[in-house]
Amino acid sequence: MRALVTKYDKYLTIAYDSSRVILPELLGKIDSVSKVTPDSVVSVMAHVAGQEAVKGNIYLADSLSELAGTYALQLNDSSLLAVVLNAKGKIMQIKGRRDSAFYYYSKSLHIAQLRHDSIAALPAMINLGNAMIDRHNSETGINYLKEALEIARKRKNKKYMAVLYNNLGKAFDIRGNYSMALQYYRAALDTLERMKSKEYYLEPLNNLANIYLYLGNDSLAMKYYQKVGKLADSLNYQSMQATALINIGNLYYENNENDKALKYTKAANALLGGQYESYLHSIIYLNLGLIHRNLGNAKVSYKEISKSIELARKFHIYDVLGEGCMEMARYYENHNQFHLAAKYANEAYQLAVNNNMLNLLPETSKLIADNYRAAGNTGKALKFYDLYSKYNAQYQDTINNKTTRNFAFLYELQKKETANKILMQRQQLDKQVLTNVRLKLEQQRILIFLSIITIISVLLISILLYYRSRLKSRLNNALISNNNEITEQNKLLEKENAFKNKLISIISHDIKSPMMSLYNILELLSVDELSEEEKRELIRDNIQLTDRALNMVEDLLSWTRQQLNTTTVHYTTINVYDLGNEIITFFQPDAREMNINLVNACSPETTVYSDYQMLKMVIRNLFSNALKFTPSGGYIEMGVSKTNGHVILYVTDTGVGIKPEDQYKIFSEEKYFTTNGVRGERGNGLGLKLCRNFVEKSGGKIWLESKAGKGSTFFIEIKRASNSPSVQK
């Protein structure tokens, strides 16, 4: 019996259809033995039931699990019953009945714990933890897996330890905690290496490759995928070999190399050809459909995605099913078959809602909204457009948070690698010192034994000690120099990563809001029920939003160029009065709405010699800040005063002012100081720092005077005459 089960598992491992080779013989053996000693076959029945369920042979799986349960009850053996209940939970999970699976896993664990049977408890605890994670209760699921890991460690069961390390890695991978995921995957690989178990080595190795793919390290991900494929081929483990080919195809697909992606995906399909269709086939068919879509083969794409959806429904692979339904909805929408597009879009939307697939929710809600609009149902269309805006904002926030976590993780990884390099260098230096010391001591012993004259021996020993001291000194100096260099590199790395994270945060919060507003206005303009007056008003709003968004983008780009030291100053003669009128005209609509008076007190003849774009950006920022912090009924004035060879330009307001303890933070490079305006407006803390940098770069000075509750005045000192080079870098 044991030999047959081992042979059966081996055929499953190499992804061969075992039911055609060994299953009839195994079932016959189970039938003959069960009539004599039913207790000896219950666990075998449960095991085979679970494996056949994975293959999609649900009818046989149900029959075997029911028969195993009957025998366990007749024998009144709770340990066997725990094993059977765990197998039933696995079958229910494959059927897509998650609540039933959760019930059977919990009951199996409860029975095993009552008997203090840790061997029976381990698989139930692992399955229960994974089920919790599948139900989006990752914290509880991780706790179950950690508890199971402690049991496996106490029993020194390395196989279960490796499985649990890998499962914990996947749990943290799902949560986006790649640092913890990487640690657990490596722990699984280390455990399997000590076990010398190559077949179980493949899954965590493949998961490790996925981590590097998420982090954007395509070359390292490709290296590991190829390693998985090579090892799987040597073991004749066809399913993992096919998985490696699928992942390599996905990597090329993500890089828009569709011909290479098609080659590897077809190779995976050919490798599994003639075998039972599994969840891998549903992924392959979906990927083939997506690749053919990109290559313009719409009919072939439709055929492959249809097959993928059929298999995904059969095996309850919800992420593949959701993406397949989305593709079908797009296909039918492109062919103006809106009722079919709506059907698939709704199915994808429900899958996304029920399974928390945030990546699908924005597009599915927009597709449904588009279909309602095409059907003339404006009310429901607007509802789903609102949902689209909400889901899209959530998804973008998730992407930005994930990107920030990736930067942090990569930074920590780089620090660890640097520390490892330092440690290796120290070890090499210590080894070299030790080798030299041993050599010198050996030479010293030889000289002592061979020496006849005491004075000569003492002299030789002194010389040896002197040279050893000099060697140690040189090595120590080299180590200190190396450490200083690495410290400087770490500081530079920290500064660069801080800049990247700040830039991502700015773009996420300052650009997303006006872009979403623009999108909503354009969506409303597409609704036929709006009157011409309403459309004209929306168009005016659209123009204002676009202008502000462009100015915001210009500020951010200017700040980025300044941070990268690529800004070039172009000097020219500027009429301050005309520049002031241009800026006041730009802010006049907002000022009118806020009941704030804008005044240009500059003399029409006053000119300065500076960079026009830089000066315009500086004054615009000062007006923008003044509007944020000036209450209704106040005023903002721009004026000038002249000194010898310079013009002092000022922008003053009747706003809330700036506290004395906060004034030094305004232009500081080390502080990012920001506060909400009197109407709740948000800032990013960069505008005034950018003003200072540009004013100083163009040869001027900027400072402020302010009293809390009485307003603020910002002064800019600029040259009057062209006594500077025409271009400064």
Side-chain angles (χ1 to χ4, degrees):
M1 176 72 76
R2 183 176 297 177
L4 283 172
V5 173
T6 302
K7 193 174 182 180
Y8 169 81
D9 286 338
K10 181 179 180 182
Y11 282 131
L12 285 173
T13 301
I14 62 176
Y16 188 77
D17 192 351
S18 58
S19 63
R20 299 177 185 174
V21 179
I22 198 66
L23 184 58
E25 184 181 354
L26 179 58
L27 293 176
K29 187 69 174 178
I30 289 172
D31 185 55
S32 62
V33 174
S34 63
K35 295 175 182 178
V36 182
T37 55
D39 56 322
S40 64
V41 297
V42 171
S43 58
V44 174
M45 286 181 180
H47 174 72
V48 174
Q51 298 288 32
E52 289 300 310
V54 172
K55 287 168 50 181
N57 199 348
I58 300 298
Y59 179 79
L60 178 59
D62 281 335
S63 300
L64 286 171
S65 65
E66 287 298 323
L67 185 58
T70 302
Y71 282 140
L73 290 171
Q74 288 175 355
L75 295 166
N76 196 25
D77 190 328
S78 54
S79 291
L80 290 176
L81 183 59
V83 173
V84 173
L85 290 172
N86 187 57
K88 282 190 173 184
K90 187 175 182 181
I91 294 168
M92 290 299 171
Q93 189 168 0
I94 291 167
K95 286 182 177 181
R97 295 166 60 181
R98 296 180 178 178
D99 291 336
S100 297
F102 183 79
Y103 166 78
Y104 282 115
Y105 291 146
S106 300
K107 194 169 181 180
S108 174
L109 178 60
H110 178 66
I111 292 172
Q113 288 175 335
L114 285 176
R115 289 183 56 86
H116 303 287
D117 188 347
S118 58
I119 294 296
L122 271 175
M125 198 174 289
I126 293 170
N127 289 332
L128 191 58
N130 290 333
M132 282 286 191
I133 294 166
D134 191 43
R135 293 173 66 175
H136 313 299
N137 191 349
S138 59
E139 195 64 37
T140 305
I142 287 171
N143 288 336
Y144 271 111
L145 295 177
K146 285 183 175 179
E147 186 178 351
L149 180 60
E150 286 304 312
I151 295 172
R153 281 172 174 164
K154 287 178 182 178
R155 298 190 66 88
K156 297 181 180 179
N157 190 320
K158 292 183 179 179
K159 178 181 176 182
Y160 271 121
M161 285 170 62
V163 169
L164 284 158
Y165 283 136
N166 186 55
N167 285 352
L168 282 164
K170 288 192 286 188
F172 283 105
D173 192 344
I174 291 169
R175 295 177 69 176
N177 190 338
Y178 298 137
S179 177
M180 290 299 297
L182 202 61
Q183 290 181 37
Y184 279 110
Y185 288 147
R186 284 175 173 165
L189 293 172
D190 290 341
T191 304
L192 291 166
E193 281 180 350
R194 290 194 295 272
M195 291 172 61
K196 297 181 179 179
S197 177
K198 291 184 177 180
E199 58 270 22
Y200 295 106
Y201 190 84
L202 290 167
E203 186 177 356
L205 186 63
N206 185 70
N207 292 335
L208 193 66
N210 291 336
I211 289 287
Y212 286 115
L213 182 63
Y214 299 153
L215 295 173
N217 195 332
D218 290 354
S219 60
L220 199 54
M222 177 67 78
K223 174 185 173 183
Y224 279 104
Y225 286 142
Q226 289 172 341
K227 189 174 180 180
V228 170
K230 185 177 180 180
L231 181 57
D233 183 41
S234 68
L235 295 170
N236 198 24
Y237 194 163
Q238 293 179 6
S239 63
M240 279 307 299
Q241 191 179 357
T243 300
L245 292 170
I246 291 169
N247 287 331
I248 293 172
N250 283 336
L251 196 155
Y252 282 122
Y253 173 82
E254 291 297 331
N255 289 307
N256 205 29
E257 296 182 61
N258 292 295
D259 290 330
K260 290 183 179 179
L262 185 62
K263 171 188 172 184
Y264 281 96
T265 309
K266 281 185 173 181
N269 195 30
L271 187 65
L272 300 177
Q275 300 172 13
Y276 65 90
E277 289 187 315
S278 66
Y279 73 98
L280 284 177
H281 287 85
S282 69
I283 297 171
I284 288 171
Y285 294 147
L286 176 63
N287 289 354
L288 286 172
L290 296 174
I291 295 166
H292 279 295
R293 179 203 63 190
N294 287 355
L295 293 172
N297 304 325
K299 290 184 179 179
V300 179
S301 174
Y302 172 86
K303 179 181 176 183
E304 298 292 349
I305 291 172
S306 297
K307 291 193 291 185
S308 173
I309 289 173
E310 181 181 353
L311 281 178
R313 286 197 177 111
K314 178 180 177 181
F315 291 102
H316 303 283
I317 309 169
Y318 297 116
D319 53 343
V320 176
L321 181 57
E323 192 167 355
C325 287
M326 272 302 307
E327 284 302 314
M328 292 301 284
R330 294 189 194 105
Y331 174 86
Y332 283 116
E333 187 178 54
N334 291 336
H335 288 77
N336 297 323
Q337 298 183 45
F338 297 108
H339 64 290
L340 289 174
K343 171 189 171 185
Y344 280 101
N346 275 291
E347 184 176 356
Y349 178 79
Q350 288 303 319
L351 283 166
V353 170
N354 294 336
N355 295 279
N356 196 30
M357 300 177 192
L358 189 56
N359 59 315
L360 287 181
L361 283 171
E363 190 169 1
T364 52
S365 54
K366 186 176 185 302
L367 264 174
I368 294 170
D370 289 342
N371 278 283
Y372 275 126
R373 188 177 68 181
N377 193 336
T378 306
K380 287 193 174 181
L382 288 174
K383 172 188 172 183
F384 277 93
Y385 281 133
D386 287 339
L387 285 173
Y388 164 73
S389 297
K390 182 187 76 172
Y391 290 140
N392 191 53
Q394 291 174 354
Y395 181 61
Q396 292 303 321
D397 284 343
T398 302
I399 294 297
N400 291 331
N401 291 337
K402 191 173 182 181
T403 303
T404 302
R405 286 198 302 271
N406 285 356
F407 274 125
F409 171 63
L410 286 171
Y411 170 64
E412 290 299 322
L413 194 62
Q414 288 170 338
K415 285 210 303 187
K416 288 180 181 178
E417 289 175 352
T418 303
N420 288 336
K421 288 179 181 177
I422 294 172
L423 182 61
M424 289 177 64
Q425 289 170 349
R426 286 176 176 171
Q427 289 174 343
Q428 289 174 353
L429 288 172
D430 290 342
K431 186 176 180 181
Q432 184 179 353
V433 170
L434 185 59
T435 301
N436 289 331
V437 169
R438 287 174 177 171
L439 178 63
K440 297 300 180 183
L441 288 173
E442 188 64 25
Q443 291 174 349
Q444 185 178 0
R445 290 191 193 99
I446 294 171
L447 289 171
I448 290 173
F449 283 111
L450 295 177
S451 178
I452 298 173
I453 303 173
T454 305
I455 297 174
I456 297 174
S457 299
V458 172
L459 181 61
L460 289 173
I461 293 170
S462 300
I463 293 171
L464 289 172
L465 291 173
Y466 170 75
Y467 277 108
R468 187 177 70 174
S469 175
R470 289 195 61 184
L471 176 63
K472 287 180 67 176
S473 176
R474 284 199 298 271
L475 291 173
N476 286 334
N477 290 336
L479 183 60
I480 292 169
S481 175
N482 197 16
N483 285 341
N484 290 337
E485 181 180 352
I486 291 170
T487 300
E488 290 300 317
Q489 290 175 350
N490 279 341
K491 289 180 180 179
L492 179 61
L493 183 62
E494 290 173 356
K495 185 175 180 181
E496 290 175 351
N497 275 284
F499 165 67
K500 292 175 184 176
N501 290 339
K502 187 64 184 176
L503 185 58
I504 289 169
S505 176
I506 292 165
I507 294 172
S508 170
H509 290 93
D510 287 1
I511 299 300
K512 180 172 66 179
S513 181
M515 289 299 102
M516 288 303 299
S517 298
L518 289 173
Y519 176 83
N520 290 331
I521 288 173
L522 291 172
E523 286 290 346
L524 289 172
L525 283 171
S526 67
V527 178
D528 296 332
E529 288 80 2
L530 295 177
S531 65
E532 290 300 316
E533 181 58 30
E534 289 173 330
K535 288 184 177 180
R536 282 194 295 273
E537 185 176 348
L538 285 174
I539 290 171
R540 286 196 298 272
D541 291 344
N542 194 8
I543 292 171
Q544 291 179 6
L545 280 170
T546 303
D547 200 9
R548 293 174 192 174
L550 286 172
N551 280 287
M552 188 179 296
V553 171
E554 180 183 343
D555 284 356
L556 287 173
L557 290 175
S558 298
W559 180 79
T560 305
R561 286 194 297 269
Q562 190 275 328
Q563 290 291 324
L564 297 174
N565 294 320
T566 60
T567 306
T568 301
V569 182
H570 300 281
Y571 286 98
T572 186
T573 301
I574 305 166
N575 187 296
V576 177
Y577 179 80
D578 292 342
L579 179 60
N581 280 343
E582 180 183 348
I583 293 171
I584 287 174
T585 301
F586 176 80
F587 285 106
Q588 194 64 54
D590 287 342
R592 191 179 298 114
E593 184 177 342
M594 299 175 187
N595 191 25
I596 295 173
N597 190 27
L598 304 182
V599 179
N600 185 355
C602 299
S603 171
E605 300 81 25
T606 303
T607 60
V608 294
Y609 193 69
S610 185
D611 185 295
Y612 180 81
Q613 292 299 330
M614 286 189 184
L615 185 58
K616 177 182 175 182
M617 188 282 298
V618 170
I619 298 173
R620 191 175 66 235
N621 264 286
L622 295 178
F623 265 80
S624 177
N625 278 346
L627 282 168
K628 287 181 186 177
F629 299 101
T630 301
S632 177
Y635 75 91
I636 301 168
E637 179 181 300
M638 172 181 170
V640 295
S641 61
K642 300 177 182 178
T643 62
N644 292 333
H646 292 82
V647 169
I648 297 177
L649 190 152
Y650 66 87
V651 175
T652 187
D653 62 62
T654 58
V656 296
I658 304 168
K659 296 177 183 178
E661 62 268 25
D662 292 333
Q663 291 182 18
Y664 84 97
K665 303 175 185 176
I666 297 295
F667 299 115
S668 172
E669 287 291 341
E670 305 298 324
K671 303 286 185 180
Y672 280 94
F673 174 75
T674 182
T675 184
N676 291 343
V678 296
R679 301 166 192 85
E681 303 96 329
R682 296 181 62 186
N684 54 46
L686 291 175
L688 292 175
K689 292 177 176 57
L690 187 58
C691 290
R692 192 205 71 178
N693 289 333
F694 282 168
V695 169
E696 291 179 353
K697 198 172 187 72
S698 56
K701 298 178 183 177
I702 184 168
W703 69 95
L704 71 92
E705 294 177 1
S706 179
K707 291 184 179 180
K710 294 186 178 181
S712 303
T713 303
F714 286 81
F715 300 90
I716 308 169
E717 184 181 272
I718 314 169
K719 295 178 181 179
R720 294 182 63 187
S722 59
N723 57 354
S724 300
S726 60
V727 176
Q728 176 182 333
K729 295 193 176 179

